[in-house]
Amino acid sequence: MREVRDRAAAGASRVAEDAREELARLRAQVEKLMQERVTPALAGAAETVEDYATRARETIEQQADALSSTVRERPLMAVGIAALAGFLIGRLTSGTTYVYPSSDRR
């Protein structure tokens, strides 16, 4: 009985050791894949995002400069456009509804 128990314990110990070795091998493979494929892909994606952000910032700065120049050249027109835009936004966002009298009422 003891011999069977000792053999079972030894077998379990071998299985556990084999499992540990397999896990260590798999962990090494995952780390290798991360270094070879995932990290470069993330670096490439980060560069692309940074490039898009730089382009967007430059475009916004150019548009702001152009608008600023136009406002300096024609301040009255800029004030008029701003007033009209404010009026339209106010009308669109106001909660007031107008009810027109119907022609059927007397």
Side-chain angles (χ1 to χ4, degrees):
M1 189 75 95
R2 284 184 185 174
E3 187 177 326
V4 172
R5 184 185 58 164
D6 291 341
R7 284 184 189 169
S13 177
R14 281 192 304 270
V15 169
E17 184 61 32
D18 290 345
R20 281 189 210 104
E21 289 174 3
E22 184 66 19
L23 283 174
R25 188 180 64 75
L26 289 173
R27 181 176 291 139
Q29 285 180 344
V30 168
E31 289 175 0
K32 182 180 176 185
L33 286 173
M34 290 289 291
Q35 290 174 352
E36 291 177 355
R37 297 198 179 150
V38 176
T39 303
L42 290 176
E47 288 176 14
T48 301
V49 169
E50 186 177 344
D51 185 46
Y52 285 143
T54 301
R55 288 183 190 177
R57 184 181 67 244
E58 289 172 355
T59 301
I60 290 170
E61 288 174 355
Q62 290 172 355
Q63 294 296 323
D65 289 343
L67 181 61
S68 178
S69 296
T70 302
V71 169
R72 281 191 206 104
E73 292 171 4
R74 299 182 181 151
L76 292 178
M77 184 176 75
V79 170
I81 291 172
L84 179 63
F87 174 76
L88 291 175
I89 290 171
R91 292 289 286 180
L92 292 172
T93 60
S94 69
T96 308
T97 57
Y98 296 98
V99 177
Y100 298 102
S102 67
S103 60
D104 295 337
R105 289 188 179 175
R106 293 186 183 183

